[in-house]
């Protein structure tokens, strides 16, 4: 990625609000959607994260369902267990979310002291239902879902995250911008931690739906 000659400030632990979050997360590495249109290779998302982050420690690909859960760890774990039991009883399957377009330069996000590049996803009824159900279990006020997948983070104002990096990502991974499959849910502790220090407290896998043989072959071919 391109950058200016100005060195970044020293990396330091930032004092962040004590929070946990639920992420609609853990892309299956070989997952594809059933659509025969443009399909994002989930492996490409992880490759982008690993290759293109200038200073940020590498992190697991994810899309955040809720921030600021407002619970201590014991309470958060108990509520996540309740949510998992509900979703398992419902037979919650993977979510396929279409991207609004190719990777974008998002610029600075002051609340989290970050500059970012990522993918924006279209909302679906299934995602909205999961978002509302998680909010009800955790006792959160309703907020509009803003589904997205972050690809590149750096400190706010960083010259190393810019439109040129976006152009490079689009050239190297042209499939990014199709559909993305999310195969599980995780409870993540972000309290007083930089990105690489986020801790997964608990997780669940969504139920796998049956696939025809031709879908299995496509999965192998596009992984």
């Amino acid at each position: 990625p391109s950058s200016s000659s100005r060195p970044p400030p020293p990396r330091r632990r930032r004092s962040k609000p004590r929070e946990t979050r639920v992420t609609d997360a853990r892309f299956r590495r070989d997952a594809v959607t059933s659509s025969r249109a443009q399909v994002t290779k989930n492996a490409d998302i992880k490759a982008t994260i690993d290759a293109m982050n200038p200073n940020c420690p590498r992190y697991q690909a994810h899309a955040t369902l809720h921030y600021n859960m407002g619970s201590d760890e014991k309470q958060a774990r108990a509520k996540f267990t309740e949510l998992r039991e509900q979703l398992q009883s419902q037979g919650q399957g993977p979510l396929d979310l279409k991207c609004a377009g190719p990777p974008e330069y998002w610029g600075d996000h002051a609340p989290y002291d970050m500059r970012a590049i990522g993918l924006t996803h279209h909302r679906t009824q299934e995602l909205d239902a999961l978002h509302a159900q998680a909010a009800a279990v955790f006792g959160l006020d309703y907020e509009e879902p803003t589904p997205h997948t972050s690809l590149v983070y750096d400190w706010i104002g960083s010259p190393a995250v810019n439109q040129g990096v976006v152009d490079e990502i689009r050239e190297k991974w042209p499939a990014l911008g199709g559909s993305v499959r999310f195969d599980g849910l995780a409870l993540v502790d972000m309290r007083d931690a930089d990105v690489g220090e986020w801790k997964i407290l608990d997780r669940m896998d969504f139920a796998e739906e049956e696939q025809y043989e031709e879908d299995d072959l496509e999965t192998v071919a596009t992984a």
Side-chain angles (χ1 to χ4, degrees), residues 11-13 21 33 41 50-51 60-61 84 89-90 93 95 101 110 115 119-120 128 134 169 195 204 218-219 222:
R11 301 296 293 168
R12 64 187 185 279
R13 184 184 297 275
R21 70 177 179 178
T33 68
K41 300 178 183 179
D50 290 345
Q60 190 162 352
R84 176 174 54 220
S89 68
Q90 296 165 197
L95 299 180
R115 176 170 287 190
L119 294 164
T120 300
D128 285 0
I169 291 172
V195 176
M204 66 166 290
E218 184 185 1
T219 297
T222 59

Side-chain angles (χ1 to χ4, degrees), residues 103-125:
E104 303 171 297
Y105 173 62
W106 291 336
D108 293 332
H109 186 56
Y112 293 94
D113 197 20
M114 293 175 177
R115 176 170 287 190
I117 292 169
L119 294 164
T120 300
H121 304 299
H122 289 299
R123 290 169 57 181
T124 65
Q125 289 184 346

Side-chain angles (χ1 to χ4, degrees), residues 22-55:
V22 175
T23 59
D24 183 23
R26 292 191 310 115
F27 302 122
R28 205 178 69 204
R29 190 179 186 281
D30 61 349
V32 296
T33 68
S34 59
S35 172
R36 293 300 188 269
Q38 184 186 26
V39 175
T40 288
K41 300 178 183 179
N42 289 347
D44 285 355
I45 293 175
K46 192 64 176 72
T48 302
I49 291 171
D50 290 345
M52 303 302 290
N53 278 276
N55 293 306

Side-chain angles (χ1 to χ4, degrees), residues 61 99 134 168 180 185 193 204-205:
C99 297
E168 186 176 352
V180 178
L185 200 66
M204 66 166 290
D205 292 325

Side-chain angles (χ1 to χ4, degrees), residues 5-159:
S5 60
R6 179 167 67 89
R11 301 296 293 168
R12 64 187 185 279
R13 184 184 297 275
R14 293 185 294 273
S15 179
K16 296 181 180 178
R18 293 183 62 80
E19 66 179 38
T20 51
R21 70 177 179 178
V22 175
T23 59
D24 183 23
R26 292 191 310 115
F27 302 122
R28 205 178 69 204
R29 190 179 186 281
D30 61 349
V32 296
T33 68
S34 59
S35 172
R36 293 300 188 269
Q38 184 186 26
V39 175
T40 288
K41 300 178 183 179
N42 289 347
D44 285 355
I45 293 175
K46 192 64 176 72
T48 302
I49 291 171
D50 290 345
M52 303 302 290
N53 278 276
N55 293 306
C56 175
R58 307 305 177 254
Y59 55 92
Q60 190 162 352
H62 64 277
T64 300
L65 192 65
H66 284 287
Y67 290 102
N68 300 323
M69 310 306 292
S71 304
D72 62 28
E73 183 172 332
K74 182 177 180 180
Q75 292 174 328
R77 285 180 180 274
K79 291 175 181 178
F80 187 84
T81 297
E82 179 183 349
L83 178 61
R84 176 174 54 220
E85 290 173 350
Q86 291 181 8
L87 296 175
Q88 287 176 338
S89 68
Q90 296 165 197
Q92 176 68 53
L95 299 180
D96 293 324
L97 299 183
K98 291 182 180 179
C99 297
E104 303 171 297
Y105 173 62
W106 291 336
D108 293 332
H109 186 56
Y112 293 94
D113 197 20
M114 293 175 177
R115 176 170 287 190
I117 292 169
L119 294 164
T120 300
H121 304 299
H122 289 299
R123 290 169 57 181
T124 65
Q125 289 184 346
E126 189 175 18
L127 174 66
D128 285 0
L130 178 59
H131 183 272
Q133 187 169 357
V137 171
F138 279 85
L140 305 176
D141 293 333
Y142 178 79
E143 293 184 0
E144 288 286 332
T146 55
H148 63 277
T149 297
S150 297
L151 300 173
V152 175
Y153 290 121
D154 202 4
W155 49 273
I156 198 165
S158 169

